[in-house]
Amino acid sequence: MDGSPLGIAQAREVVLAACRPLGTEEVPVTDALGRVLAEPVIAAADVPPFASSAMDGYAVLAGPAGRVVRVVGESRAGTPAERGPGEGEAVAISTGAVVPPGAEAVVPLEVTERDGDRVTLTAPARPGDHVRGAGEDLRAGGTVLEPGRRLGPAEVGVAIGAGRASLRCARRPRVAVLCTGDELRAPGEPLGAGQIHNTNAYTLAALALESGAELAAPPGQVRDELGATRDALGSALDRADVLVVSGGVSVGPHDHVKGALAELGVQERFWRVALRPGRPTWFGVRGDRLVFGLPGNPVSAMVTFLLFARPALAALQGASTAVPVRLATMTEAIPRNAGRDEAVRVALRERDGVLQATPTGPQGSHQLTSMLGADGLVIVERGEGELPAGAPVRVEIR
Ligand code: AMP
Ligand code: MG
C-alpha cells in the first residue's frame, strides 16, 4: 500500500470490515465453555422451580417465639413431605426441600429444641422467613443469556439451570499458524550456528486458542524460499478460516510471504501499521478467509495478534470486538516515538486505591520476556517529547 501507514484504529477497522460471522452449530451444554452463544437462552421454567427452604429446620405456620409444635412429617431435598403443617404442627425440612403446602415460614434448627416429636421454637416465625420463592433466580419465559455472549462457567451453569442440554453456538474459527524462517528450530532441538527456537508457533497458536479458535492443523514451519512458502501457505489457506503467518513479511531478499500470497490470490488490505512493535504487519483476504502476515519478532507477533487478529476472531464468532480497557496511571515516563504509536507492555497493580501501570522491563521487539506479567498494552501515541510519569492511560487488557 502506498502512502503513510495506517494507525492502529484504522487498521483494526479494515480488519473488522472484512469479517463475516461464521456459521453456527449445536453444542452439548457441557462442551460449551469458551464458546460464543448464537441464540438467546430462555428459561424453560422457574428456577428454583418450587418454593424451597433456605435452612435446615422446621416448616410451620407463622407465629411468636416460645411455641411448642409436634413434628408430623419430613420434607427432604428431592422428596417432598406428604402434607403440610397445621396449627401446632411442624414439618422437618432440609435446605433446598419443598416448603410444604400451607407452611408460612421455616424456623432454623439453631433456634429450636427437640424432644421426641415435640419441638420448642425459640424464635418467632414471620411469614416468608427462610423461604426461597419459586422463580427468584430465573422466571419461566425470561431471557437469561443473549446471543454474542461468551460462555464462562457461570453462563454454562445458568444455561443448564434454564433447562438446556445443548446450545446453538458460533462455530469455532479454524486458524492455521505458519512460521517462516530458515533459522527456526523446534522446541528443545539443539541450535546450530545462527539458529533460534521457534517461539511464535506456540505463542500464536496459544493466543488463537485463547480467542476461542481451534487449530486447523498443528503449527507449521517453512523455509525462506518462494516456492516452499507458496505451497505451505496454499495448503494452510485451504484448511483455515484464518491464516496467521509469522516472519518473512518485510522487504528483505528472503522475505517471500507477500509474493507468495499474491500468487495465491490473496488480496492485500494493508501492509504496514504505524505501530511499534509491529510495523510490517500485513493483512489480506481471499473470499471470506483472512490472512494476517505478522512480523517475525516474537513480541511484534504477539502484540499484532492481540491488536488485530484477536478482535477478528471475536467478530467471526459474533462476539463483541470491544477491547476491555482499564484506566490507570503510568508510573514511568515513556519517550514518544516520532512516527509510530508504541504498544507498551505493562503490569498493573493497585496502590492506595489507584491502579498503576508499569512497563514490564526492556521493550525491544525481540525481548519476549516483556510479555511476561503483561496485564495489557498502553498505546503511547507518536509525537514529540514523552508521556510523563503520572499520566492517565487506557490499558487494553490482554
Ligand atoms: P522476519 O520478520 O522474518 O524478518 O524476522 C524478524 C526477527 O524475528 C528475526 O530475528 C527472526 O529470527 C525472528 N523470528 C522470525 N520468526 C520467528 C519465530 N517463529 N520464532 C522466534 N523468532 C522468530
Ligand atoms: Mg525471516
Side-chain angles (χ1 to χ4, degrees):
M1 180 181 285
D2 295 318
S4 54
L6 299 182
I8 298 169
Q10 292 168 300
R12 223 181 241 163
E13 269 171 35
V14 172
V15 168
L16 291 178
C19 295
R20 310 270 166 278
L22 299 170
T24 64
E25 61 192 8
E26 200 70 11
V27 178
V29 70
T30 47
D31 294 338
L33 183 69
R35 293 295 199 112
V36 176
L37 195 59
E39 59 164 348
V41 172
I42 292 163
D46 281 350
V47 177
F50 46 83
S52 66
S53 179
M55 299 289 282
D56 293 325
Y58 295 94
V60 294
L61 303 185
R67 287 182 295 161
V68 179
V69 291
R70 190 169 60 88
V71 180
V72 296
E74 183 181 15
S75 180
R76 297 176 54 163
T79 310
E82 270 157 27
R83 71 170 180 90
E87 195 66 51
E89 293 179 338
V91 169
I93 193 165
S94 311
T95 303
V98 176
V99 173
E104 293 169 319
V106 171
V107 178
L109 272 185
E110 290 83 345
V111 289
T112 65
E113 285 154 21
R114 184 153 182 174
D115 179 12
D117 67 350
R118 305 272 149 186
V119 181
T120 305
L121 309 175
T122 60
R126 288 170 299 258
D129 276 359
H130 308 294
V131 175
R132 296 172 172 159
E136 276 187 11
D137 194 16
L138 308 181
R139 278 274 168 221
T143 299
V144 295
L145 297 171
E146 302 279 357
R149 182 145 178 165
R150 195 172 290 281
L151 299 168
E155 284 78 5
V156 173
V158 166
I160 293 170
R164 303 298 293 270
S166 68
L167 296 167
R168 185 139 287 270
C169 296
R171 179 165 74 69
R172 288 189 184 281
R174 281 189 283 266
V175 172
V177 174
L178 190 66
C179 294
T180 70
D182 290 340
E183 73 279 32
L184 303 178
R185 286 295 170 269
E189 261 186 22
L191 300 179
Q195 297 180 336
I196 61 169
H197 287 123
N198 180 352
T199 55
N200 295 352
Y202 303 92
T203 56
L204 295 174
L207 287 170
L209 294 174
E210 265 188 13
S211 310
E214 62 186 28
L215 297 182
Q221 194 176 309
V222 65
R223 304 190 306 281
D224 289 316
E225 196 264 308
L226 180 60
T229 302
R230 184 190 51 230
D231 293 349
L233 289 174
S235 62
L237 203 49
D238 289 339
R239 283 195 298 258
D241 302 302
V242 178
L243 173 54
V244 178
V245 193
S246 104
V249 77
S250 204
V251 292
H254 308 293
D255 290 338
H256 299 296
V257 168
K258 289 193 293 144
L261 288 171
E263 286 186 25
L264 290 165
V266 183
Q267 293 169 356
E268 180 177 306
R269 286 285 184 270
F270 64 75
W271 177 45
R272 288 186 166 152
V273 181
L275 164 66
R276 185 165 98 166
R279 174 161 51 190
T281 303
W282 188 97
F283 173 69
V285 299
R286 189 171 83 180
D288 283 347
R289 292 173 191 217
L290 312 180
V291 180
F292 292 90
L294 306 184
N297 272 306
V299 178
S300 315
M302 286 191 79
V303 165
T304 52
F305 188 104
L306 289 170
L307 292 176
F308 307 117
R310 187 172 63 163
L313 292 172
L316 293 180
Q317 296 170 80
S320 165
T321 57
V323 182
V325 164
R326 301 197 60 185
L327 301 179
T329 299
M330 204 71 178
T331 57
E332 292 176 18
I334 309 287
R336 292 188 192 275
N337 184 283
R340 292 189 273 161
D341 297 338
E342 180 148 7
V344 178
R345 283 77 72 201
V346 298
L348 291 175
R349 90 175 160 189
E350 202 175 300
R351 195 158 192 179
D352 302 331
V354 177
L355 202 56
Q356 298 192 324
T358 303
T360 51
Q363 299 277 312
S365 61
H366 60 300
Q367 289 169 305
L368 192 53
T369 49
S370 67
M371 292 300 295
L372 292 177
D375 297 308
L377 305 175
V378 169
I379 308 298
V380 177
E381 279 179 20
R382 66 197 108 156
E384 302 299 316
E386 61 175 28
L387 177 78
V393 288
R394 296 171 78 247
V395 184
E396 296 199 358
I397 300 300
R398 57 165 245 92

